[in-house]
């Protein structure tokens, strides 16, 4: 039985990862530690909440006392660090919390893992590992050609990606300096169930259903490399089990799409399946995001060659599955877009002018 301390497990990818792991294995114990910010929702974990191998602790990863207590009371084998402030637009309007959670929170986890696992100078309990979940955004922006490899220099542009790059470097530093066993995965944009409706796909889905404007930043020709969330979960599981200590692995499925293509795909799906009144007339090109990265594209050759990972879900299948999930889970959308999120949701686009 291995014990995983999963941070940020009530968010989009973290909750998908916990469900994926508990469905796949009987011999894993998962402790989900989440501060339950606006982005964390325990409803995501309803299907596993009574599983005897799952438990939840509400705590902030920057809280040393709380994290130390969790390590004291549990025999943890792996830390899987998803907890983060994750929305680029929020990082532009309020960078400080990104530094606090993403940088200081990661250092606090590293310190506690090191303290709990170290059994001698540069020597750790066998089999332990710190797995840090990162993003392709740390590499910056690509022109029309080429891909990000693990050796592409870090060149983040937004406060979000800069805080993620900082946390990546700290994880690397704890390996290089103290020999703390670790891996980092850098994944492209994920889509799937339980993604908070401030990110492109669920936001456009929700706004289309509500007959609201569909905000497309700038010309909409920016490119993201989309991966179905279960394929990301599978990659993290493989890297934790078989990844070489100290290595970084890029995760992505060569699935590059322009934002405008994504928006039109969603409109078409809703028009065909739900509401014939919706259409491209709802698209509003609005002020571009400051410092907007033009293109992301991952080269996943290393994880394919060394661990045999590949993306199982073609985009055409994954997007339909995802949109169907949002349609069937309109209560979930209502719940997460009410309460403390609502105020933000309403003011989010007040500075965005149609262009
Ligand atoms: P999310 O915003 O949906 O979830 C983040 C979770 O972290 C939430 O449950 C939130 O409550 C929790 N959290 C925030 N601050 C915390 C704190 N101080 N202490 C404890 N918990 C806290 O994010 P996501 O999209 O699921 O992303 C998860 C991770 O994956 C992030 O580290 C992100 O950088 C990375 N990532 C995301 C994507 C993507 O497309 N979403 C792609 C690559 C990498
Ligand atoms: P997002 O989902 O915020 O992810 P990220 O910025 O991490 O890639 O945005 C995906 C792309 O969609 C990005 O290029 C910004 C763009 N976008 C819009 O055009 N309109 C929107 O309302 C949102 C939220 C994003």
């Amino acid at each position: 039985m291995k014990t995983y301390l999963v941070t940020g497990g009530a968010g989009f990818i973290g909750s998908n990862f916990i469900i994926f792991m508990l469905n796949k294995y009987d011999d894993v114990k998962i402790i989900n530690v989440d501060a339950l910010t606006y982005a964390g929702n325990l409803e995501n974990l309803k299907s596993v909440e009574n599983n005897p191998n799952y438990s939840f602790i509400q705590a902030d990863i920057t809280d040393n006392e709380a994290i130390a207590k969790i390590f004291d009371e549990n025999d943890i084998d792996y830390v899987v660090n998803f907890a983060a402030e994750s929305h680029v637009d929020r990082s532009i309007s309020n960078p400080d919390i990104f530094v606090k959670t993403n940088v200081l929170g990661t250092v606090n986890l590293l310190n506690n893992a090191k303290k709990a696992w170290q059994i001698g100078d540069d020597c750790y309990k066998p089999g332990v590992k710190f797995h840090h979940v990162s993003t392709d955004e740390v590499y910056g922006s690509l022109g029309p050609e080429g891909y990000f490899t693990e050796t592409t220099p870090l060149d983040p542009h937004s406060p979000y990606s800069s805080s993620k790059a900082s946390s990546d470097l700290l994880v690397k530093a704890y390996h290089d300096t103290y020999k703390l066993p670790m891996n980092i995965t850098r994944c492209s944009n994920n889509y799937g169930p339980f993604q908070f409706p401030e990110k492109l796909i669920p936001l456009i889905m929700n706004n289309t259903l509500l007959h609201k404007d569909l905000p497309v930043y700038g010309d909409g020709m920016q490119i993201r490399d989309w991966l179905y969330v279960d394929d990301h979960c599978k990659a993290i599981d493989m890297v934790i089990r078989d990844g070489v200590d100290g290595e970084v692995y890029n995760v992505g499925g060569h699935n590059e799409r322009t934002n405008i293509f994504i928006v039109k795909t969603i409109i078409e799906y809703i028009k065909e399946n739900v509401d014939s009144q919706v259409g491209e007339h709802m698209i509003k090109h609005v002020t571009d995001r400051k410092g907007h990265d033009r293109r992301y594209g991952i080269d996943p050759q290393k994880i394919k060659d060394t661990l045999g990972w590949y993306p199982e879900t073609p985009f055409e299948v994954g997007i339909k599955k995802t949109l169907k999930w949002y349609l069937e889970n309109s209560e979930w959308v209502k719940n997460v877009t009410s309460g403390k999120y609502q105020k933000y949701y309403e003011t989010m686009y007040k500075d965005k002018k149609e262009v």
Side-chain angles (χ1 to χ4, degrees):
M1 195 77 160
K2 294 281 189 185
T3 300
Y4 292 64
L5 177 65
V6 174
T7 70
F12 164 46
I13 308 173
S15 59
N16 276 284
F17 178 75
I18 292 173
I19 294 165
F20 173 90
M21 293 296 285
L22 292 172
N23 283 341
K24 185 165 178 191
Y25 302 108
D26 292 329
D27 61 346
V28 302
K29 191 175 150 201
I30 301 223
I31 303 169
N32 175 15
V33 174
D34 197 298
L36 298 182
T37 68
Y38 78 96
N41 187 353
L42 288 179
E43 233 182 292
N44 301 5
L45 294 150
K46 266 208 166 106
S47 66
V48 297
E49 67 187 5
N50 296 320
N51 187 316
N53 291 342
Y54 169 76
S55 60
F56 172 71
I57 299 169
Q58 183 169 5
D60 190 315
I61 59 164
T62 65
D63 181 344
N64 180 39
E65 213 176 299
I67 299 300
K69 187 165 181 277
I70 294 167
F71 274 97
D72 277 352
E73 292 175 355
N74 299 279
D75 193 8
I76 289 158
D77 296 292
Y78 305 126
V79 172
V80 194
N81 185 27
F82 292 96
E85 289 291 336
S86 68
H87 189 36
V88 174
D89 292 326
R90 283 176 185 254
S91 83
I92 294 167
S93 50
N94 185 16
D96 302 32
I97 184 70
F98 284 73
V99 176
K100 183 171 183 244
T101 292
N102 301 0
V103 185
L104 300 180
T106 301
V107 176
N108 188 38
L109 290 169
L110 287 165
N111 284 337
N112 278 291
K114 176 174 170 287
K115 194 166 160 229
W117 291 342
Q118 198 159 22
I119 52 176
D121 199 23
D122 290 348
C123 187
Y124 292 83
K125 279 165 64 174
V128 296
K129 188 172 341 190
F130 191 101
H131 185 101
H132 185 62
V133 181
S134 190
T135 164
D136 59 358
E137 301 192 29
V138 298
Y139 296 121
S141 185
L142 289 166
E145 304 290 324
Y147 298 98
F148 298 132
T149 70
E150 289 79 1
T151 55
T152 300
L154 303 190
D155 183 24
H157 298 125
S158 72
Y160 162 67
S161 52
S162 304
S163 67
K164 290 297 290 186
S166 307
S167 59
D168 285 19
L169 291 177
L170 283 156
V171 175
K172 179 182 175 304
Y174 273 62
H175 181 264
D176 296 350
T177 308
Y178 309 114
K179 308 282 181 281
L180 184 79
M182 68 77 168
N183 284 122
I184 296 171
T185 40
R186 294 187 179 135
C187 190
S188 57
N189 284 61
N190 283 212
Y191 68 99
F194 302 123
Q195 186 168 33
F196 204 80
E198 65 182 353
K199 304 277 170 70
L200 182 69
I201 290 178
L203 181 132
I204 295 296
M205 174 85 185
N206 200 30
N207 281 17
T208 311
L209 288 168
L210 296 173
H211 286 210
K212 286 185 175 178
D213 289 351
L214 308 179
V216 170
Y217 300 169
D219 64 5
M221 295 306 286
Q222 304 84 0
I223 289 173
R224 297 294 180 265
D225 181 0
W226 294 94
L227 185 73
Y228 190 66
V229 64
D230 275 356
D231 284 322
H232 186 189
C233 296
K234 188 176 82 167
I236 294 170
D237 177 31
M238 283 173 136
V239 171
I240 292 172
R241 283 172 183 258
D242 299 320
V244 175
D245 179 27
E247 291 291 308
V248 174
Y249 295 89
N250 281 355
V251 185
H254 280 305
N255 191 11
E256 294 183 37
R257 312 280 166 160
T258 60
N259 293 340
I260 196 75
F261 171 84
I262 296 284
V263 172
K264 288 182 178 174
T265 302
I266 297 170
I267 296 170
E268 206 176 289
Y269 179 86
I270 297 177
K271 197 178 171 73
E272 267 179 27
N273 293 285
V274 188
D275 180 353
S276 60
Q277 302 300 304
V278 306
E280 291 180 14
H281 61 277
M282 296 165 72
I283 294 174
K284 295 280 176 285
H285 286 270
V286 297
T287 333
D288 208 351
R289 175 185 276 173
K290 284 182 193 298
H292 200 170
D293 288 337
R294 195 71 181 163
R295 173 176 166 244
Y296 302 143
I298 279 278
D299 177 355
Q301 210 53 47
K302 176 173 170 180
I303 191 169
K304 282 186 168 174
D305 289 348
T306 58
L307 301 181
W309 176 87
Y310 65 94
E312 279 175 41
T313 312
F315 181 75
E316 292 66 24
V317 174
I319 192 73
K320 285 207 176 104
K321 211 161 134 179
T322 301
L323 299 178
K324 189 164 177 279
W325 185 89
Y326 282 98
L327 280 181
E328 289 169 355
N329 290 275
S330 53
E331 274 305 304
W332 180 90
V333 178
K334 242 184 245 160
N335 291 345
V336 299
T337 53
S338 62
K340 59 186 166 176
Y341 175 61
Q342 190 61 29
K343 209 167 129 231
Y344 164 78
Y345 191 70
E346 279 162 6
T347 55
M348 182 70 203
Y349 294 101
K350 76 176 184 336
D351 298 331
K352 300 254 178 232
K353 306 256 180 307
E354 189 171 352
V355 287

